[in-house]
Amino acid sequence: MKIFLAGASGAIGSEIVSQLVARGHEVVGTTRSADKTARLRALGAEPVIVDALDRRSVVDAVARAEPEVVVHQLTALSGPMDLRSAKQMLAATNRLRVDGTDNLVAAARAAGARRFVAQSNSLWMERAGGPIVDENSRLEPRPPADAEQTVAALRHLERVVTGISWADGIVLRYGSFYGPGTGVSAASDAVTSAQIRQRKFPIVGKGTGVWSLVHIADAASATVAAIERGKPGIYHVADAEPALVSDWLPHLARALGAKPPRRVPAWLAGLVGGKAAVDMMLRARGISSEKIRRDLGWAPRFPSWRMGFTDGMR
């Protein structure tokens, strides 16, 4: 198939390009930076520089590509991150999930695409019911004030994409990424790995939040499955072992050769990192990815983060 991939130069975008090209697909991949076009060519994609917030340029780029499938992997989450830059990156990502989504959907419709696949995430599933939720669960309706815009942007993306009537609209709620290119890998000097090594990524309170994780290559293979044979709706994408923060974070520290993470009380973490960070550490829900395994035959290379932290971090 011919596929238009928005966000092709990011961590998961690059993996998706590689896997699609290996399977014989033709990929047109976007980037915001001319410096990244050579890498996209090396991966086998036709690069195009596009500002996803400029609707005319998006519509023109998609029209020239004439894709059967449009894939939305746009975020602004990259590079060194402190509290200030994290807020800026989240705000920019929120715009991409709202205005960028609207622009890509309009462009896909005008170009006659028959499938639209978009990135969401699972960290803000509703804080209700059991610790593990499936695709019937909704996003948290009452998030902390400092997460309201983020959750609203995710809700907008999911509503628009699953509401598509002229093509197959598919949303992928990914678990938290790790592995090469994500900032969480054995060879990474990126902020997340550095924070863990420097014991600046603590367990908050008792670490009772349940997170689902997924190796970046497995997230990409699930995306390829959705591109090739997905049905309209939502799929959860994660390994088979949702885990308490108090379980997986010490294992990750060991995999990175770091000392065990510190523990800090919730009130102190809230003062430093905000209520949203505390909520994710204490109240997050894990996800079941049984649907995509059953319906699309997806099988991750790393079925557990335990194996992935040991063998998949390089």
Side-chain angles (χ1 to χ4, degrees):
M1 295 184 291
K2 193 164 189 179
I3 297 157
F4 186 93
L5 174 53
S9 62
I12 186 169
S14 298
E15 279 283 348
I16 294 169
V17 169
S18 295
Q19 293 187 28
L20 287 172
V21 170
R23 292 177 65 79
H25 299 295
E26 184 177 349
V27 182
V28 175
T30 78
T31 178
R32 292 173 292 174
S33 171
D35 295 338
K36 297 180 179 180
T37 56
R39 172 166 166 72
L40 286 176
R41 285 194 184 94
L43 292 174
E46 176 187 340
V48 57
I49 300 172
V50 174
D51 177 0
L53 300 179
D54 181 342
R55 177 168 293 203
R56 175 47 55 192
S57 69
V58 174
V59 170
D60 289 347
V62 176
R64 288 194 299 271
E66 299 181 331
E68 297 169 70
V69 183
V70 172
V71 183
H72 177 1
Q73 293 288 343
L74 294 165
T75 74
L77 304 174
S78 63
M81 189 181 300
D82 54 26
L83 288 177
R84 181 178 179 182
S85 63
K87 290 180 180 180
Q88 293 172 340
M89 290 181 193
L90 284 172
T93 297
N94 292 341
R95 286 197 67 194
L96 291 170
R97 287 172 173 159
V98 177
D99 298 335
T101 298
D102 292 347
N103 293 344
L104 279 169
V105 168
R109 183 171 188 175
R114 60 182 177 84
R115 184 166 294 154
F116 191 102
V117 180
Q119 174 191 139
S120 184
N121 72 61
S122 65
L123 277 174
W124 287 105
M125 300 307 301
E126 185 174 12
R127 299 352 188 180
I132 314 298
V133 299
D134 63 16
E135 288 83 355
N136 293 317
S137 298
R138 59 180 179 172
L139 296 173
E140 172 56 43
R142 293 178 295 277
D146 53 345
E148 285 179 350
Q149 291 184 345
T150 294
V151 178
L154 289 169
R155 187 175 292 114
H156 175 90
L157 180 150
E158 293 192 0
R159 181 175 64 249
V160 169
V161 175
T162 58
I164 289 173
S165 59
W166 41 267
D168 294 338
I170 299 169
V171 168
L172 302 177
R173 288 180 181 154
Y174 297 113
S176 296
F177 296 150
Y178 68 93
T182 67
V184 186
S185 66
S188 175
D189 292 324
V191 64
T192 306
S193 291
Q195 286 176 335
I196 293 171
R197 290 189 178 100
Q198 296 165 12
R199 306 185 78 194
K200 294 180 179 179
F201 197 114
I203 296 173
V204 175
K206 294 183 178 180
T208 51
V210 178
W211 287 33
S212 288
L213 300 113
V214 62
H215 190 278
I216 193 71
D218 286 333
S221 70
T223 308
V224 171
I227 290 169
E228 292 181 340
R229 53 191 182 276
K231 303 298 182 183
I234 296 173
Y235 293 97
H236 285 176
V237 179
D239 70 21
E241 191 178 355
L244 296 170
V245 173
S246 58
D247 287 339
W248 68 259
L249 188 52
H251 277 78
L252 178 56
R254 284 196 294 273
L256 294 173
K259 294 180 179 179
R262 291 188 172 92
R263 292 179 178 264
V264 300
W267 66 267
L268 179 58
L271 291 177
V272 176
K275 293 182 178 179
V278 173
D279 189 274
M280 287 189 293
M281 285 291 204
L282 297 181
R283 304 180 64 229
R285 294 297 193 266
I287 56 171
S288 166
S289 56
E290 176 60 30
K291 177 182 175 182
I292 193 169
R293 297 165 190 266
R294 179 187 67 243
D295 293 358
L296 303 188
W298 177 64
R301 178 183 176 190
F302 300 106
S304 166
W305 49 268
R306 298 177 191 274
M307 181 189 302
F309 288 175
T310 302
D311 300 328
M313 298 286 281
R314 299 175 180 82

